[in-house]
């Protein structure tokens, strides 16, 4: 980690903005804008005025899954977070302990062969850790259709900084589209949460275009600071063409969320051309790697997780991230998936 962030107590967004007061909507959050060393403060509804005709917003269409399921391991109550579908049909899962307050706390996974009893007499059997460095995420075999199991018995993953459970609809963005196989993201692609149909219409009327991509994101426990693991993504041909055409015409490519950055940069060649692609990406975007396509990033405010902040630095530079986060703390912006958002743009833009 190169930028030190300490989030003061009380800046966690405990509730969705529309549930904090009468008349508030999803787009009632604040928008911090960083461009190089310059920082400005806006309402999110001012976003259309900050973009130009010909700019492209790259949006993640992955739906959020009700990925948390209660279970038992021996006599102990546990909660299973279903994270990622593997290439062999197994799922990467995270085991958590209920904390008695409606949320969970960290618990080591495994050992190999261990069994978790799930609702409907379903038995989850542990395989091996996802990686040699991870005691948290393990591959596990579940002999049923997991998306169906989640629809019947799951609920959205909830972290301790939130006040109470929320329905799944609260965790879906306006861009979410159901997947043919029923899979999706373990955690909401939250940067897109403040968008509303009305705001999307205003952006379109201004000449801003939308390029849909898909990346099913796994769990990112706040107790862990691990680099991202391979995730399923797809960049369709029409979106690749739209992005390339925008760049050729001098438009900016602004990713909505770190998941959109990961997807589109995974589909970009060394020549900066985006080509249709799908599969699994293990790409980690760092300042050393840089970005080939993305000119800006709209994202939430992140905990000091190296992979996220390094991606921000790769897009906008370290000075922008440092000053932006200092301003976010000073002006009491709210963190996490229900919080305020941050638009980072390169100081100079030219193709």
């Amino acid at each position: 980690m190169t930028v030190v962030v300490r989030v003061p107590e009380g800046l966690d967004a405990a509730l969705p903005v529309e549930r904090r007061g009468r008349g508030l909507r999803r787009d009632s959050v604040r928008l911090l804008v960083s461009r190089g060393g310059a920082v400005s403060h806006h309402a999110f509804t001012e976003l259309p005025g900050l973009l130009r005709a010909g700019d492209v917003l790259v949006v993640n269409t992955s739906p959020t899954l009700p990925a948390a399921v209660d279970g038992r391991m021996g006599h102990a109550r546990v909660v299973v977070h279903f994270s990622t579908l593997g290439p062999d049909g197994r799922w990467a899962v995270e085991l958590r302990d209920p904390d008695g307050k409606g949320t969970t706390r960290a618990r080591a996974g495994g050992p190999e062969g261990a069994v978790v009893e799930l609702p409907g007499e379903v038995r989850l059997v542990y395989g091996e850790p996802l990686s040699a460095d991870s005691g948290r995420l393990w591959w596990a075999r579940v002999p049923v259709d997991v998306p169906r199991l989640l629809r019947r018995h799951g609920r959205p993953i909830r972290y301790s900084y939130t006040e109470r459970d929320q329905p799944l609809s609260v965790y879906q963005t306006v861009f979410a589209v159901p997947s043919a196989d029923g899979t999706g993201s373990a955690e909401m692609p939250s940067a897109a949460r403040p968008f509303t149909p009305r705001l999307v219409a205003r952006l379109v009327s201004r000449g801003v275009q939308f390029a849909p991509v898909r990346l099913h994101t796994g769990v990112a426990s706040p107790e862990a600071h691990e680099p991202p693991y391979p995730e399923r993504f797809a960049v369709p041909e029409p979106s690749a063409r739209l992005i390339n055409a925008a760049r050729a015409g001098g438009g900016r490519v602004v990713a909505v969320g770190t998941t959109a950055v990961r997807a589109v940069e995974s589909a970009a060649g060394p020549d900066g051309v985006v080509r249709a692609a799908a599969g699994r990406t293990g790409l980690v975007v760092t300042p050393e790697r840089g970005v080939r396509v993305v000119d800006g990033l709209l994202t939430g405010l992140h905990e000091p997780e190296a992979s996220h902040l390094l991606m921000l630095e790769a897009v906008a530079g370290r000075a922008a991230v440092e000053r932006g986060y200092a301003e976010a703390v000073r002006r009491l912006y709210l963190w996490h998936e229900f919080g305020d958002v941050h638009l980072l743009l390169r100081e100079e833009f030219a193709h």
Side-chain angles (χ1 to χ4, degrees):
M1 186 180 77
T2 57
V3 177
V4 176
V5 179
R6 294 289 179 265
V7 184
E9 190 173 344
L11 294 189
D12 296 325
L15 288 171
V17 61
E18 66 271 22
R19 301 192 177 201
R20 293 181 211 146
R22 180 174 296 181
L24 295 177
R25 305 183 307 263
R26 284 190 174 209
D27 59 8
S28 299
V29 297
R30 290 188 289 172
L31 174 64
L32 178 72
V33 178
S34 295
R35 187 195 299 265
V39 177
S40 56
H41 304 274
H42 305 265
F44 186 73
T45 50
E46 296 175 51
L47 180 64
L50 297 167
L51 300 177
R52 303 192 294 254
D55 288 347
V56 171
L57 288 173
V58 182
V59 296
N60 186 1
T61 61
S62 178
T64 307
L65 297 173
V69 180
D70 292 325
R72 301 196 73 88
M73 196 168 189
H75 295 293
R77 292 178 56 222
V78 296
V79 177
V80 178
H81 289 173
F82 285 85
S83 178
T84 304
L85 175 63
D88 60 357
R90 294 186 299 173
W91 280 76
V93 299
E94 178 191 44
L95 201 63
R96 312 261 311 171
D97 281 324
D99 64 359
K101 303 174 184 176
T103 55
T104 60
R105 52 179 175 261
R107 175 188 176 118
E112 183 174 350
V115 173
V116 178
E117 303 286 348
L118 299 175
E121 299 183 352
V122 174
R123 289 165 57 89
L124 179 153
V125 181
Y126 266 90
E128 68 278 9
L130 196 62
S131 70
D133 300 331
S134 176
R136 181 173 72 98
L137 288 161
W138 288 62
W139 290 115
R141 193 167 296 283
V142 188
V144 295
D145 183 289
V146 169
R148 179 178 297 178
L149 173 77
L150 300 183
R151 287 195 299 272
R152 293 188 64 182
H153 301 291
R155 61 183 180 279
I157 291 174
R158 177 189 158 204
Y159 287 116
S160 57
Y161 49 77
T162 56
E163 189 173 298
R164 56 180 179 267
D165 284 347
Q166 301 289 341
L168 183 60
S169 60
V170 166
Y171 290 87
Q172 303 294 8
T173 75
V174 71
F175 305 111
V177 177
S179 300
D181 62 0
T183 59
S185 291
E187 295 185 354
M188 173 175 56
S190 56
R193 191 180 188 282
F195 285 84
T196 62
R198 183 167 64 174
L199 186 67
V200 170
R202 287 179 55 205
L203 287 160
V204 170
S205 68
R206 188 172 173 79
V208 175
Q209 303 178 84
F210 288 84
V213 300
R214 171 161 289 186
L215 185 141
H216 294 323
T217 185
V219 298
S221 169
E223 290 88 1
H225 302 287
E226 305 162 347
Y229 41 85
E231 293 170 315
R232 297 166 62 203
F233 82 104
V235 176
E237 178 68 31
S239 292
R241 289 181 183 176
L242 181 62
I243 292 167
N244 293 333
R247 299 188 77 232
R252 296 174 293 186
V253 177
V254 179
V256 179
T258 56
T259 60
V261 175
R262 200 180 195 200
V264 74
E265 289 292 328
S266 297
D271 56 0
V273 175
V274 178
R275 297 172 177 84
R280 295 177 186 278
T281 176
L283 176 66
V284 180
V285 177
T286 65
E288 291 73 28
R289 189 269 186 190
V291 288
R292 296 169 176 169
V293 178
V294 171
D295 301 299
L297 170 60
L298 182 71
T299 182
L301 291 159
H302 298 281
E303 290 280 5
E305 298 173 44
S307 60
H308 281 116
L309 293 183
L310 289 175
M311 181 185 288
L312 270 56
E313 286 188 46
V315 173
R318 180 174 179 176
V321 179
E322 285 185 326
R323 186 158 300 185
Y325 271 73
E327 276 290 292
V329 170
R330 189 176 72 83
R331 299 286 288 262
L332 305 180
Y333 276 70
L334 295 180
W335 256 251
H336 302 304
E337 70 266 37
F338 299 140
D340 298 311
V341 285
H342 188 190
L343 175 63
L344 298 110
L345 296 169
R346 292 183 179 179
E347 191 166 17
E348 295 181 356
F349 169 70
H351 288 309

